[in-house]
Amino acid sequence: MQLIFEKSRKGRRAFRIPAVDVPVKAKLPSKYCRSNDALLAEVSELDLVRHFTNLSRLNFSVDTNFYPLGSCTMKYNPKFTEQIAGLEGFRELHPLFAQLDATVPYTQGALEVLFCAEQVLCEITGMTAFTTQPLAGAHGELTGAMIIAAYHRHKGNTPKYVIVPDSSHGTNPASAAIAGYEVMVIPTDKDGYMDMEAYKSKLGPESAAVMLTCPDTLGIFNPRIKEIADLAHKAGVLMYYDGANLNAVLGKVRPGDLGFDIVHLNLHKTFATPHGGGGPGAGPVGVTARLSEFLPVPRVIKKRDNTFALEYKFPHSIGPVAPFYGNFGVILKALAYIMLLGKTGLIEVSEIAVLNANYCLARLKDFYQVAYNKNRCMHECILSAVEQAKNGVRALDIAKYLIDKGFHPPTIYFPLIVKEALMIEPTETESKETLDSFIAVMIEIAKMSKTHPELVVNAPLCSPVKRLDETKAARELNLRWRPPLEKDG
Amino acid sequence: MSIPGNLLYTKDHEWVKIEGATAIIGISDHAQHALGDITFVELPKIGDRVVQGKHCATVESVKAASDVYAPFSGKVIKINTELLQHPELANQSPYSQGWFIAIEIDNIKEKDSLMLESEYVHYLTQLPS
Amino acid sequence: MSFIPHTEQEINEMLETIGASSIDELFKDIGPQMRPKSFHIPEGRSELEVDRYFKVMSQKNRPGLVNFIGAGFYEHYIPAVVDALASRSEFYTAYTPYQSECAQGWLQAMYEYQTSICELTGLDVSNASLYDGGTALCEAVMMAIRITGRNKVIVDCGVNHTYRTMLYAYTKNLAIEFVETPVVQGLSCRKDIYKLLDDRTAAVILQNPNFFGAVDDHSDIVDKTHSCGAVAIGSVYPISLGILKTPAEMGIDIATGEGQSLGLPLSFGGPYLGFMAVRKEYTRQMPGRIVGATVDKDGKPGYVLTLQAREQHIRREKATSNICSNEALCALRALMYLCALGKEGLRELALLNFHKSEFAKTCLDTIPGVVVKRSSPTFNEFTVMLPHDAEKVFEKMAAKGFACGFPLGRAYKGMENYLLVAVTEKRTKDEVMAFAKALEEAVCS
């Protein structure tokens, strides 16, 4: 499709700026002014509407397609919660009003909502205190890693490493690095669990924390998780819970009860706020009592008179990690979702998410190699296309063929330790019919890889573009549009 | 898979050609194959010092990034500027036009830790597929 | 209501296929000793009930004050077309466009966003968004450290105090030495910056307009920064770039900023939009997603996420940043906003802000005891000195229905009597005059 800039015509307008209604006297000296206008698109409102409406139609989305992208929990996003975030009293509220709240209450409702969100997330995870500041999952991880660093500094410890399994998300080691840590990687054993002997050998004063996803990125719940936590605590090492996979265990297990000290949640995964093509997310962080003094400031507190206030006086706090109180609009949606579902609804979420994933596993295990446990998984199942790859059909090819059939592909080539990985997370909101039609295509691909591999390898054929040349994109960088040189000078 | 006999190899899949006191360094055919289409190469500056076993260059493909480790300690005396412009040379011609850097060897004894062709061939067969 | 479509019968059929007798059996790896000690969540409620709760909460806030607070976060009008288009769920219920063939709409939009940010800042390359203006600045500093291999950073106190506080918190565990330089007569203190610049300096951080609203031309500072081999970082307010000298024209290497004013509601602090644009040579040091143009196997143009080898999912602890989720939807809104305004619209809007703010200055100047600081030109925000404590005046003004500005004593010691006043296009002439009248009563009573 043409770029909006290519549709631009000089002088065309989509929006009228009000006339200046005040006397014009001063002029900004030219040395402070830009010499040329920014070459923004000049289009009519209809041009604009058509352009973006048509662009929107070139995407797969949860509202249009099954989207079993592993590790991302692409469940249905209820429309109602959008309406809540759009209430004028929230949407139009300047964040600095809260900091001027001391004598006149400008923001009591917003602060109360934040307080309630923190309380309910504490109960869901078994933590003592939460901050809503982190703006995404990885930002939560960084906040957690900063809390870990602050804790050890306070204790007079000088650990060097953060321990992560080799199946971890890339954000874990990347976040630990910004908090000043080196990373110690623990291999996965033949059953898909973290290798216990290797793990034990790394515990000690040199280690600050262990960052784990639970259930892990292989879709497996480690039954020895409590033992892992106990060993860490005995060695003075903190336990960090990456909440990417919380959708598997709502009401079934709480990180706090397992011995985790710090938790981050991805509200855009577990609590159904839309992913918005990559964001905004929200990554609130919860901690146990002994770490609460390190949480970011300001914190929302409830005063004796039942009013709410921002409190900055936590001398050991790591400081602010966001300009204000987090992605408030996202937090509103998540809280509204939790209130709609309630206790029973949340438990059902995990039960059906796990049922759906196991159903996919059970129906596909005879057609694809299963990365680890062939019989059970939690909320996602990790298959491997190694058998298909022998005939030239790789995980990437399967992904592209699925696009032709109207399904968003699973996550591929992650976790890194699984060859030709296909990570399928159906989520609880998908019906049996949808799963059945997806499974049918997956089986068709497995069969075709034996008989007509070329048909898979050539996919996609029905999408707006065919396979794109990523090597060209990386070698001959073209990261912005430039106007063509004018022909007549 | 091409593995010339006149070169030495490392476990990280670098090759070295020793010419007097100079070591010319690149990545092996195995390495370029594993990386796929190489899209970017970062080299040290002439005059930089490199240390055996430590990072001296970086290669990137679309879906991977890999460090290149120095097979010898020494001073960088030449870099392949052509490779910076055309990273695909590391794919097309890993042992000649796709060379990375040349260094002045500090201590030739470091060569004892490198593999001969036959040893490298054996080493490759031992790697998990 | 849990948005689950399964019937009882389907659940049973699925269990049978799985070979499990019950759903509980699927959770058998979670032993009884691991089960929750409590899970006291209220039971679910209907939409109507939840709606009622949030309406009550939203009405406890008072966004209705006539607002003259900015301080980096501004109340601008959002064209209706932005909400209408950004609420298309083909955009907002998609994930990061990893699979480019089924995400061309998103990828093209991000390429257009990158182009618009490059045009706005004059710089060569933009990424596809970061969380907010503050974290974007933190990322810029970490970039400068990598680029130069040095660790001293000079920070102009004209940089938003919220961002400075975030920056020091964010980088506390990295060995970075920060040195602050004062604002003198409203502007960056050249003398102090030049004294501090040396061969250990990785970066100088400037902001334009600065926190006090003052407009500067930082070209001279940038020149000196470059001659020391350091990187110049500039935090900017995108609406002001409708008229102000661009970061590129000043020679800035890395421009960052808060994109909230580009079509995002204030929403009590988020979601917002961090943008970043850099000179070409620093492309590979950038954090975050970047979209590039390419062709498909038939030679048809298309777009992909590119330079992914910088990112955490490939390079892990050696990545240029830990960022994964960004603020794509906010970037999309910013793009739609910029396209709605267009080339001339943005300039007109910037001028309108400037003129309204100048008008407010003349109105406030006439109040006895109130002094509008005029040591430097400003864009749409300026500093006034009051005869007494600005916090007190703020309370009185709130009672009259005005959020009269940001009391500067909260961020700068010794400025307890100063107020930072922002005037955007949303304030009418009448509101500005009523504001001046109310302020006169508030300071004189």
Side-chain angles (χ1 to χ4, degrees):
Chain A
M1 216 171 107
Q2 263 195 331
L3 291 162
I4 190 95
F5 306 103
E6 294 168 316
K7 295 173 181 170
S8 178
R9 295 293 178 271
K10 194 172 162 44
R12 206 171 266 176
R13 302 289 292 257
F15 182 74
R16 178 165 160 178
I17 304 294
V20 181
D21 63 345
V22 295
V24 174
K25 286 184 185 149
K27 191 170 181 293
L28 203 58
S30 62
K31 73 166 191 160
Y32 298 118
C33 296
R34 65 187 297 158
S35 44
N36 296 105
D37 286 338
L39 284 183
L40 302 174
E42 297 178 272
V43 292
S44 70
E45 185 169 318
L46 178 57
D47 290 338
L48 186 71
V49 167
R50 230 168 242 167
H51 180 75
F52 285 105
T53 303
N54 286 327
L55 277 186
S56 80
R57 294 165 64 183
L58 302 182
N59 300 318
F60 279 14
S61 66
V62 173
D63 280 8
T64 52
N65 305 76
F66 179 44
Y67 213 121
L69 189 66
S71 223
C72 301
T73 316
M74 296 298 283
K75 61 171 77 179
Y76 171 65
N77 310 135
K79 302 299 158 195
F80 168 71
T81 65
E82 294 297 314
Q83 182 178 311
I84 296 304
L87 289 172
E88 194 198 339
F90 295 134
R91 186 183 147 103
E92 309 287 321
L93 193 59
H94 197 297
L96 282 169
F97 280 15
Q99 298 177 19
L100 306 163
D101 205 89
T103 43
V104 188
Y106 304 110
T107 60
Q108 283 297 301
L111 293 177
E112 184 171 345
V113 163
L114 285 173
F115 188 82
C116 286
E118 289 177 5
Q119 296 293 110
V120 75
L121 295 179
C122 281
E123 183 61 18
I124 287 173
T125 56
M127 291 287 147
T128 308
F130 251 86
T131 173
T132 56
Q133 275 192 35
L135 302 167
H139 200 219
E141 289 174 32
L142 173 59
T143 305
M146 287 162 70
I147 291 171
I148 290 164
Y151 165 83
H152 284 297
R153 196 162 39 238
H154 184 62
K155 283 260 186 182
N157 304 336
T158 52
K160 280 195 201 129
Y161 304 106
V162 162
I163 298 173
V164 300
D166 58 1
S167 59
S168 70
H169 297 113
T171 48
N172 293 173
S175 301
I178 301 176
Y181 289 112
E182 289 174 42
V183 175
M184 195 76 88
V185 179
I186 309 290
T188 298
D189 71 16
K190 62 178 176 29
D191 298 317
Y193 302 123
M194 182 164 76
D195 185 299
M196 283 300 269
E197 291 315 307
Y199 169 62
K200 284 179 198 161
S201 74
K202 301 294 189 235
L203 291 173
E206 296 269 87
S207 293
V210 192
M211 295 179 91
L212 294 176
T213 309
C214 176
D216 62 25
T217 59
L218 297 163
I220 297 172
F221 187 92
N222 189 334
R224 292 172 78 180
I225 191 78
K226 270 194 105 148
E227 187 188 339
I228 290 171
D230 290 345
L231 287 167
H233 287 157
K234 271 190 203 123
V237 173
L238 295 173
M239 289 289 290
Y240 183 94
Y241 184 93
D242 177 330
N245 293 346
L246 189 74
N247 210 47
V249 290
L250 289 167
K252 298 293 178 188
V253 88
R254 303 191 310 170
D257 299 334
L258 294 177
F260 283 95
D261 302 287
I262 305 168
V263 170
H264 92 259
L265 301 180
N266 299 75
L267 300 186
H268 47 291
K269 296 182 181 176
T270 317
F271 301 107
T273 71
H275 286 66
V285 166
V287 293
T288 51
R290 65 171 166 159
L291 296 176
S292 64
E293 60 179 320
F294 304 107
L295 283 173
V297 283
R299 287 174 59 187
V300 180
I301 55 159
K302 188 173 185 175
K303 297 197 290 192
R304 278 199 206 96
D305 62 0
N306 285 329
T307 61
F308 298 86
L310 294 175
E311 181 56 82
Y312 292 81
K313 289 189 193 111
F314 293 94
H316 298 300
S317 163
I318 58 166
V321 295
F324 298 106
Y325 330 106
N327 275 343
F328 183 69
V330 178
I331 295 158
L332 281 175
K333 293 180 208 178
L335 182 61
Y337 173 81
I338 292 169
M339 289 171 84
L340 287 178
L341 270 71
K343 178 180 177 171
T344 309
L346 290 174
I347 294 171
E348 263 173 25
V349 160
S350 290
E351 291 185 342
I352 302 300
V354 170
L355 177 76
N356 274 359
N358 273 286
Y359 181 71
C360 291
L361 176 67
R363 298 228 18 225
L364 290 171
K365 67 182 174 187
D366 294 336
F367 300 91
Y368 292 87
Q369 207 177 83
V370 179
Y372 289 95
N373 188 339
K374 229 177 127 71
N375 298 314
R376 285 289 181 274
C377 64
M378 295 299 286
H379 65 304
E380 57 194 357
C381 64
I382 288 78
L383 307 179
S384 164
V386 281
E387 281 305 316
Q388 289 72 22
K390 287 178 190 161
N391 296 323
V393 174
R394 302 191 55 206
L396 181 75
D397 304 313
I398 296 172
K400 301 307 181 195
Y401 189 82
L402 283 166
I403 293 174
D404 267 348
K405 295 292 171 179
F407 297 109
H408 193 282
T411 293
I412 52 174
Y413 302 110
F414 182 82
L416 304 177
I417 55 170
V418 178
K419 289 207 169 61
E420 299 297 330
L422 293 159
M423 190 188 210
I424 302 167
E425 183 181 9
T427 83
E428 74 282 2
T429 56
E430 297 295 338
S431 66
K432 181 169 176 294
E433 303 96 276
T434 303
L435 300 185
D436 282 337
S437 53
F438 169 75
I439 288 163
V441 174
M442 287 295 288
I443 293 173
E444 176 189 320
I445 296 171
K447 290 179 177 160
M448 278 167 63
S449 73
K450 290 180 189 150
T451 56
H452 299 91
E454 71 285 357
L455 292 182
V456 185
V457 173
N458 282 329
L461 299 172
C462 312
S463 49
V465 289
K466 293 187 183 166
R467 258 186 233 198
L468 290 153
D469 186 345
E470 296 192 36
T471 304
K472 180 183 165 73
R475 281 184 184 157
E476 303 161 25
L477 291 177
N478 173 350
L479 309 176
R480 58 159 299 183
W481 177 80
R482 283 185 191 279
L485 295 172
E486 291 196 20
K487 281 169 199 149
D488 312 297
Chain B
M1 195 73 60
S2 147
I3 304 173
N6 57 337
L7 307 177
L8 296 172
Y9 299 87
T10 70
K11 289 186 172 173
D12 301 306
H13 311 285
E14 291 89 14
W15 58 260
V16 198
K17 185 175 182 186
I18 300 174
E19 288 181 347
T22 302
I24 300 163
I25 296 160
I27 62 169
S28 73
D29 197 23
H30 173 87
Q32 72 80 15
H33 196 77
L35 279 162
D37 289 340
I38 292 169
T39 55
F40 177 69
V41 174
E42 187 180 50
L43 300 177
K45 288 195 283 290
I46 290 175
D48 281 359
R49 293 205 47 86
V50 298
V51 178
Q52 186 183 37
K54 301 280 185 216
H55 168 267
C56 69
T58 308
V59 267
E60 286 181 11
S61 63
V62 170
K63 292 286 158 68
S66 181
D67 286 335
V68 177
Y69 300 99
F72 280 101
S73 304
K75 192 172 84 180
V76 178
I77 52 172
K78 261 196 245 172
I79 60 170
N80 185 354
T81 49
E82 188 71 8
L83 182 67
L84 295 174
Q85 298 303 313
H86 298 285
E88 63 273 19
L89 289 174
N91 291 122
Q92 293 160 1
S93 173
Y95 298 109
S96 59
Q97 283 174 287
W99 66 279
F100 277 52
I101 56 173
I103 58 180
E104 198 173 71
I105 300 171
D106 281 354
N107 179 1
I108 192 70
K109 281 194 182 145
E110 283 181 343
K111 143 179 146 175
D112 297 347
S113 60
L114 303 175
M115 289 181 273
L116 297 168
E117 174 216 354
S118 55
E119 293 168 312
Y120 184 58
V121 169
H122 180 71
Y123 172 71
L124 288 181
T125 61
Q126 302 297 303
L127 292 178
S129 64
Chain C
M1 188 68 197
S2 44
F3 306 96
I4 291 168
H6 298 55
T7 64
E8 194 71 38
Q9 192 192 335
E10 283 169 335
I11 292 174
N12 290 332
E13 283 168 21
M14 292 169 82
L15 283 170
E16 197 175 320
T17 306
I18 295 165
S21 59
S22 67
I23 284 182
D24 274 350
E25 199 190 310
L26 303 176
F27 289 88
K28 69 175 182 338
D29 280 344
I30 306 175
Q33 78 290 359
M34 290 193 270
R35 295 301 171 128
K37 291 191 179 131
S38 76
F39 198 65
H40 298 306
I41 313 288
E43 283 302 344
R45 279 175 267 175
S46 68
E47 251 189 55
L48 183 61
E49 290 161 298
V50 178
D51 188 56
R52 203 170 284 146
Y53 166 80
F54 280 105
K55 282 220 172 96
V56 169
M57 286 298 135
S58 75
Q59 283 157 3
K60 282 191 186 176
N61 304 316
R62 290 184 57 192
L65 294 174
V66 179
N67 184 29
F68 289 86
I69 294 182
F73 308 90
Y74 299 92
E75 189 185 335
H76 287 288
Y77 182 78
I78 302 173
V81 72
V82 173
D83 277 330
L85 288 174
S87 63
R88 283 195 69 92
S89 64
E90 297 95 325
F91 280 127
Y92 81 75
T93 70
Y95 196 63
T96 304
Y98 294 126
Q99 296 290 343
S100 39
E101 294 85 354
C102 61
Q104 282 301 297
W106 255 117
L107 287 159
Q108 180 173 330
M110 286 301 97
Y111 181 81
E112 291 175 352
Y113 163 82
Q114 289 171 190
T115 304
S116 299
I117 294 296
C118 289
E119 279 297 329
L120 218 47
T121 56
L123 284 158
D124 303 317
V125 181
S126 158
N127 69 10
S129 80
L130 296 167
Y131 306 134
D132 82 297
T135 55
L137 194 62
C138 297
E139 294 279 8
V141 167
M142 292 190 281
M143 265 179 86
I145 302 287
R146 285 196 297 274
I147 289 166
T148 59
R150 304 172 180 178
N151 73 340
K152 179 172 135 187
V153 176
I154 299 170
V155 188
D156 182 338
C157 278
V159 174
N160 192 326
H161 72 103
T162 303
Y163 291 174
R164 281 184 283 132
T165 321
M166 279 173 73
L167 181 59
Y168 306 147
Y170 227 76
T171 57
K172 180 161 184 153
N173 302 298
L174 307 173
I176 303 177
E177 179 197 344
F178 290 101
V179 201
E180 293 194 336
T181 55
V183 172
V184 178
Q185 296 290 307
L187 297 177
S188 311
C189 178
R190 270 71 176 166
K191 186 167 64 81
D192 285 25
I193 293 174
Y194 298 161
K195 224 182 324 177
L196 287 164
L197 265 171
D198 59 18
D199 60 6
R200 291 191 305 117
T201 308
V204 177
I205 312 178
L206 304 161
Q207 179 176 317
N208 192 47
N210 71 13
F211 189 68
F212 305 98
V215 170
D216 202 342
D217 174 4
H218 287 132
S219 307
D220 50 346
I221 302 177
V222 173
D223 276 349
K224 284 273 197 320
T225 302
H226 287 160
S227 62
C228 285
V231 169
I233 299 171
S235 182
V236 289
Y237 170 21
I239 296 291
S240 76
L241 291 176
I243 49 174
L244 294 189
K245 197 164 211 172
T246 64
E249 286 171 319
M250 295 184 203
I252 297 270
D253 301 285
I254 307 173
T256 62
E258 175 50 65
Q260 172 270 326
S261 55
L262 303 174
L264 299 173
L266 283 161
S267 191
F268 202 52
Y272 287 170
L273 163 67
F275 64 85
M276 177 186 273
V278 305
R279 278 157 53 143
K280 199 173 164 193
E281 54 263 48
Y282 302 134
T283 308
R284 285 173 189 276
Q285 289 300 335
M286 281 193 113
R289 315 280 186 206
I290 299 177
V291 174
T294 185
V295 294
D296 76 357
K297 60 186 194 178
D298 296 342
K300 187 175 171 189
Y303 305 88
V304 294
L305 290 175
T306 193
L307 293 175
Q308 294 191 61
R310 298 165 298 114
E311 293 188 63
Q312 46 76 28
H313 59 289
I314 291 177
R315 208 175 287 223
R316 300 176 74 85
E317 67 269 25
K318 288 179 186 158
T320 56
S321 168
N322 68 329
I323 192 167
C324 182
S325 283
N326 55 16
E327 306 289 312
L329 194 67
C330 304
L332 181 70
R333 290 183 69 102
L335 169 66
M336 290 164 172
Y337 179 87
L338 289 170
C339 292
L341 263 67
K343 178 180 158 211
E344 288 177 13
L346 184 71
R347 190 190 61 235
E348 287 170 14
L349 180 71
L351 277 170
L352 183 59
N353 273 258
F354 172 72
H355 290 312
K356 294 231 176 193
S357 158
E358 290 300 313
F359 174 68
K361 282 184 186 174
T362 59
C363 294
L364 299 188
D365 245 350
T366 61
I367 304 171
V370 172
V371 181
V372 174
K373 305 304 281 182
R374 289 181 182 276
S375 49
S376 53
T378 60
F379 173 59
N380 70 350
E381 195 163 22
F382 57 90
T383 306
V384 292
M385 190 172 76
L386 304 174
H388 37 253
D389 191 348
E391 299 274 356
K392 295 260 161 55
V393 174
F394 187 90
E395 281 170 34
K396 286 185 191 166
M397 288 294 281
K400 294 169 187 290
F402 294 95
C404 68
F406 180 77
L408 278 165
R410 290 177 166 256
Y412 295 87
K413 272 214 177 80
M415 296 194 78
E416 284 71 22
N417 289 4
Y418 289 79
L419 199 60
L420 183 65
V421 178
V423 189
T424 71
E425 76 281 2
K426 285 195 77 171
R427 299 289 73 85
T428 63
K429 184 181 178 187
D430 289 348
E431 281 173 340
V432 172
M433 292 195 305
F435 172 69
K437 185 161 167 277
L439 188 65
E440 181 162 7
E441 291 163 10
V443 295
C444 297
S445 63

